[in-house]
Amino acid sequence: MIMFGFLCICISLDVFVCALEQGATEREVHFKRVFVYALIFAICSAGLFLLGHGLSYSFFGKPLMRINKFVAIIIFLVLGNIMVIYGIKKKKFVERLNESDYREIIKLALLGGIDCFLVGVGCYYMNLSYVYESLILFLVVLVGCIIHYYVGYYNGAAYQKVYYFLCGIVYILMSLSLILRIIQL
C-alpha cells in the first residue's frame, strides 16, 4: 500500500507540472475554474488507470499471471527512463499570460493520463486492488492539482524539470524494488 502511495504521487507529478504551468499563465484565479480543471485531470487519470487495469485483465487474465512482475518491471523501467530523459531535455517554461479553454485542458489531461494507463497495466500485474487505488489516485490528483495550480499562480513554474526527473527516478526505484522481490522469492 505504501508503494502505491508513492506511485500515486509519482503518476501525479506530470499533472502537477501541467497545473503549475497553467497557474503561471493565468491573469487571475477563481477557485471554481481551478476545481473544474483539477476535476478533469483527476477523472482522466483515474479513468485511464482503470482502463489500463481492465484491459490487462481482459487480454491477459489469469493464465499469464506467472509473468506478472516482469511486465510491471518493464513498464516501470521504460516509464522511468522516458521521464528522466524528458526532465533533462525539457526546455524552461516561458511564463506569459494565456487564458486556456476547457478543450486544451482535456487534451492535456488525456496526454498526461497515458502514463496512468501504463501504470494501470503494471498495477494489474502487481495484484493491487484497482478500485481502491483508483480512488486514491483520483483524490491525490484532485488535491495536488489544486495546490499546484495556486503554487504556479503565485510562484511560477520554475521546478517543472525537477518534477519530471523525480518522477522518472521513482518509477525506476519501483522497478528495482520489484526486481528485489523476485530475487528474494
Side-chain angles (χ1 to χ4, degrees), residues 166-184:
L166 180 64
C167 180
I169 296 298
V170 171
Y171 280 138
I172 291 171
L173 290 175
M174 293 291 289
S175 64
L176 291 177
S177 73
L178 289 174
I179 290 171
L180 290 175
R181 283 186 186 178
I182 289 174
I183 292 172
Q184 289 178 353

Side-chain angles (χ1 to χ4, degrees), residues 89-163:
K89 289 186 175 182
K90 184 165 174 61
K91 295 178 182 171
K92 185 174 173 152
F93 180 73
V94 179
E95 297 176 21
R96 60 189 139 169
L97 294 178
N98 181 20
E99 298 292 326
S100 62
D101 60 351
Y102 289 111
R103 274 189 225 128
E104 181 181 332
I105 296 301
I106 291 171
K107 184 177 86 170
L108 284 172
L110 289 174
L111 287 174
I114 291 172
D115 61 339
C116 293
F117 174 79
L118 293 173
V119 169
V121 171
C123 286
Y124 167 72
Y125 290 110
M126 291 170 55
N127 299 323
L128 295 174
S129 171
Y130 62 94
V131 174
Y132 186 65
E133 270 67 15
S134 64
L135 179 64
I136 291 172
L137 178 63
F138 177 84
L139 293 174
V140 166
V141 171
L142 183 70
V143 172
C145 193
I146 291 170
I147 291 169
H148 282 83
Y149 199 94
Y150 281 104
V151 168
Y153 179 72
Y154 289 111
N155 295 330
Y159 298 107
Q160 81 266 18
K161 287 180 76 164
V162 175
Y163 275 52

Side-chain angles (χ1 to χ4, degrees), residues 30-89:
H30 301 286
F31 181 76
K32 181 180 175 184
R33 185 174 179 165
V34 173
F35 183 77
V36 170
Y37 286 166
L39 192 60
I40 290 169
F41 276 108
I43 289 170
C44 285
S45 295
L48 287 170
F49 175 82
L50 284 173
L51 181 66
H53 194 280
L55 286 177
S56 295
Y57 178 75
S58 61
F59 283 123
F60 299 110
K62 300 285 182 195
L64 297 177
M65 288 299 285
R66 295 181 131 172
I67 62 168
N68 60 357
K69 295 211 184 333
F70 296 111
V71 173
I73 288 169
I74 291 169
I75 287 172
F76 292 137
L77 277 177
V78 169
L79 279 175
N81 287 321
I82 288 171
M83 291 299 219
V84 166
I85 291 169
Y86 188 72
I88 292 170
K89 289 186 175 182

